[in-house]
Amino acid sequence: MGIKKAESYVQSLLCHDASGHDYGHCIRVKNLALKIAESYDCDKNLVALASVLHDVDDEKVFGHVGHKHLVEFCRKNNLDAEYQNIIISIIDFLSLDLKDDTVSIETHIVQHADNLDALGAVGIARMFAFGGANGKVVYDGTSTDSFSHYYQRLEKLPNLMNTPFAKDVAKKRIKFMQNFMAQFKKETL
Ligand code: ADP
Ligand code: NI
């Protein structure tokens, strides 16, 4: 199944998203996933497809649509039901923020790639973009501002990663974010 078709579909669906789930995010996740996948004997086509398509039905973007867009894409491109269900199982796992050794290596790879794109300079940009798109203030010292998302979720993400490349990149990106958070706090005094 041509990854290019999936990329065009995602571009048409998410090119105007302003909440951090845009086409650029999907392409970065695909590239990170393929980089992680280099160290594994795994289904690289599945890794590429699932990572590029992982946000096409994201609840935060589209509301409760189930797997409407994914199913539409699979139908139009004659993907068989079994492959479609495998992609769905990978996507469903992403929203859980779970470490579960029983899921497939492809699932781990896409999860780690998606989470890596929530870290580093890109992660900071996405955190404030998401906050703005969802009516959150940048910083007011409460647990509902965009800033606090780093402590509530992002700093814990490296612990979910056990693929060596992802873990290494995650640690570097967290270090960068820690410096940013410290500098931000200094500037709010
Ligand atoms: P993904 O699985 O692609 O990271 P999410 O929907 O969980 O998707 O988040 C999209 C982006 O928005 C991520 O960069 C995430 O860190 C950020 N984000 C999610 N929830 C919040 C929040 N409550 N405040 C600030 N940023 C958030
Ligand atoms: Ni994502």
Side-chain angles (χ1 to χ4, degrees), residues 5-17:
K5 282 191 179 159
E7 291 180 3
S8 315
Y9 182 69
V10 171
Q11 186 167 30
S12 66
L13 207 59
L14 288 166
C15 62
H16 298 302
D17 174 82

Side-chain angles (χ1 to χ4, degrees), residues 89-168:
S89 75
I90 293 176
I91 293 173
D92 283 346
F93 187 73
L94 298 183
S95 54
L96 302 177
D97 269 0
L98 265 184
K99 194 170 183 175
D100 177 352
D101 294 338
T102 67
V103 298
S104 67
I105 184 61
E106 290 84 359
T107 305
H108 280 299
I109 290 170
V110 179
Q111 182 199 42
H112 299 175
D114 192 26
N115 285 342
L116 277 181
D117 205 55
L119 301 179
V122 165
I124 293 169
R126 292 183 69 224
M127 178 168 88
F128 292 113
F130 180 95
N134 287 278
K136 292 173 184 294
V137 299
V138 169
Y139 177 79
D140 64 7
T142 73
S143 62
T144 56
D145 64 19
S146 293
F147 189 79
S148 64
H149 183 65
Y150 173 76
Y151 302 101
Q152 287 163 7
R153 175 168 179 249
L154 304 183
E155 73 173 357
K156 299 171 188 141
L157 292 180
N159 290 333
L160 294 177
M161 299 178 191
N162 51 13
T163 52
F165 174 83
K167 190 134 195 128
D168 185 51

